[in-house]
Amino acid sequence: MSKFRYIIKRNAKYGFMDENGQEIIKPIFERVSEFNEGLAWAVVEKNEKWFSGFINESGDWVIEPTFSGYGWSMTETSLFSDGLAPIQSIENRKMMYINKLGEAVTDPIYDTAGIFSEQRAITAINDRFGYIDELGNQVIDHQYGIHSSTFIQNNRFSEGLAAIRFDIGEDGLETENNFGYINKNGEVVFEPEDYY
């Protein structure tokens, strides 16, 4: 059974306390995410560089900090779901997915990568969005956009559908509100309209 762990910050470092307010993981990390599937993304500094991996609910490294500790919104997106987590490669700073053994399931090719919902995770290459399955296979090509003020978390699958932004016209994305819905096979269920 998963224990409650709440993020704390002291002297610009992060750790965790339990539901009684007791410190249970010392604040020694540069950044952390919340716990999901028993693991939390955590960042440490080594030789003036940030490296990340995953810790368990006792604060022990389960996946050693050998990945990049940088990247946008990593505290919200580097969470385990369906047994996989997106994380940034140290070599090229691209996103990839790893399993709970720290093994790569995809190559580090994504500019953006989200967590899984209903066996699908949103990924982006060159500002175009698509989806992979829990085996790391690209199941919906990178052909969609998202609203500039909408985070990728809002484009997760829910009840079998995901909101996406379509291309219109030869010049690409011409409107801010050109949204529709697709199913988990990438088939259009609701044609684009101004849903937002």
Side-chain angles (χ1 to χ4, degrees), residues 128 143-145 164-169 171-174 178 192:
R128 288 287 184 251
Q143 58 185 308
Y144 300 111
I164 49 86
R165 194 170 85 181
F166 291 87
D167 279 346
I168 295 292
D171 295 328
L173 302 172
E174 292 182 351
N178 185 24

Side-chain angles (χ1 to χ4, degrees), residues 9-10 111 127 139:
K9 182 178 181 182
R10 186 181 315 118
D111 300 323
D127 295 325
V139 291

Side-chain angles (χ1 to χ4, degrees), residues 4-23:
F4 289 103
R5 299 288 184 257
Y6 301 97
I7 297 171
I8 58 173
K9 182 178 181 182
R10 186 181 315 118
N11 299 324
K13 301 284 186 179
Y14 293 88
F16 293 87
M17 67 178 182
D18 65 16
E19 63 271 23
N20 299 314
Q22 295 294 111
E23 180 184 291

